[in-house]
């Protein structure tokens, strides 16, 4: 969808509309084809950046700390996300090891880094270097971030294993649960207003949609 100051074009039928500020929970639809043009949001630039930094810290904890600890006959084994993905790559489930690592580790980390990059510059009312390609990559990555699927997998595996061995949730599991919420919040936010914010002198100069 291309945007000009004050105007927005429908990405499905190319109809052009004048933007207007939206109320809470309002969505602007195309009159011709009913596609979504833009949505209202509660997430302004500063909280968006703050949540992105929080997501970065949580991501480190989620990937460094063990997600589960398995105990059997006095012996313990701590498993991190990375070790789980590596272990997958050796077994019968090898073909899904790479997609799993992409969806629950690599894509979320890219989303956090790239968002942090453009938001930090946007806060200084500047366009980050490589702004346009970064915005395109962010739009491409959005459907491939699946921390919640990873969480579900860990929970199912933990419940199944708990019949055989003692399973204890580690700090990494709680961090992943928090990360699931944070990444959903920061990555589901419409990024298009960043084009205006970095062009027309900051968020105050445009509507909050
Ligand atoms: Zn349309």
């Amino acid at each position: 969808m291309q945007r000009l100051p004050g105007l927005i074009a429908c990405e499905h039928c190319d109809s052009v509309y004048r933007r207007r500020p939206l109320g809470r929970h309002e969505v602007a639809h195309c009159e011709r084809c009913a596609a979504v043009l833009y949505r209202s949001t509660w997430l302004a630039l500063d909280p968006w950046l703050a949540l992105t930094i929080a997501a970065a810290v949580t991501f480190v904890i989620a990937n460094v700390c063990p997600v589960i600890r398995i105990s059997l006959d006095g012996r313990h084994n701590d498993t991190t996300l990375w070790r789980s993905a590596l272990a997958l790559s050796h077994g019968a489930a090898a073909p899904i090891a790479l997609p799993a690592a992409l969806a629950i580790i690599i894509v979320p980390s890219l989303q956090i880094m790239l968002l942090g990059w453009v938001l930090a510059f946007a806060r200084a009312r500047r366009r980050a270097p490589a702004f346009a390609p970064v915005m395109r990559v962010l739009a491409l990555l959005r459907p491939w971030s699946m921390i919640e699927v990873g969480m579900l997998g860990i929970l199912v595996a933990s419940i199944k294993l708990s019949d055989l061995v003692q399973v204890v949730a580690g700090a990494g599991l709680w961090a992943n649960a928090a990360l699931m919420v944070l990444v959903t919040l920061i990555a589901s936010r419409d990024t298009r207003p960043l084009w205006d914010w970095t062009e027309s002198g900051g968020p105050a100069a445009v509507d909050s949609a």
Side-chain angles (χ1 to χ4, degrees):
M1 203 177 292
Q2 283 192 333
R3 302 190 66 237
L4 296 166
L7 298 178
I8 184 161
C10 172
E11 65 182 0
H12 298 281
C13 70
D14 290 338
S15 303
V16 177
Y17 299 92
R18 193 168 298 284
R19 285 173 70 91
R20 64 171 185 82
L22 296 179
R24 260 174 94 87
H25 307 306
E26 276 190 326
V27 181
H29 288 278
C30 173
E31 273 187 4
R32 205 161 133 205
C33 71
V36 172
L37 294 172
Y38 56 98
R39 300 168 187 274
S40 70
T41 177
W42 57 273
L43 199 55
L45 181 56
D46 279 350
W48 197 4
L49 179 59
L51 284 175
T52 305
I53 295 167
V57 175
T58 313
F59 180 86
V60 173
I61 299 170
N63 282 275
V64 170
C65 297
V67 281
I68 52 173
R69 163 177 272 210
I70 298 165
S71 307
L72 179 66
D73 298 334
R75 281 175 298 162
H76 307 294
N77 193 2
D78 291 328
T79 306
T80 62
L81 272 187
W82 283 100
R83 281 168 72 181
S84 317
L86 269 178
L88 263 185
S89 67
H90 296 306
I96 64 159
L98 184 64
L102 275 173
I104 62 176
I105 303 173
I106 296 165
V107 169
S109 72
L110 280 173
Q111 282 181 305
I112 294 166
M113 278 191 294
L114 295 178
L115 256 182
W117 175 250
V118 289
L119 291 178
F121 278 91
R123 200 165 180 280
R125 303 184 176 193
R126 287 178 49 206
R127 259 185 201 174
F131 182 80
V134 167
M135 293 289 278
R136 262 180 235 120
V137 172
L138 277 172
L140 281 174
L141 289 177
R142 194 178 289 188
W144 301 105
S145 179
M146 299 176 198
I147 297 175
E148 60 279 9
V149 178
M151 273 296 290
L152 194 65
I154 295 167
L155 290 177
V156 170
S158 305
I159 291 166
K160 284 195 159 189
L161 278 172
S162 63
D163 288 341
L164 310 167
V165 291
Q166 195 192 357
V167 182
V168 180
L173 188 70
W174 303 116
N176 264 294
L179 191 61
M180 183 175 73
V181 177
L182 286 171
V183 168
T184 305
L185 284 175
I186 61 170
S188 61
R189 167 73 158 89
D190 186 1
T191 53
R192 283 167 287 177
L194 283 170
W195 291 92
D196 283 348
W197 292 352
T198 52
E199 191 175 58
S200 54
V206 293
D207 64 71
S208 63

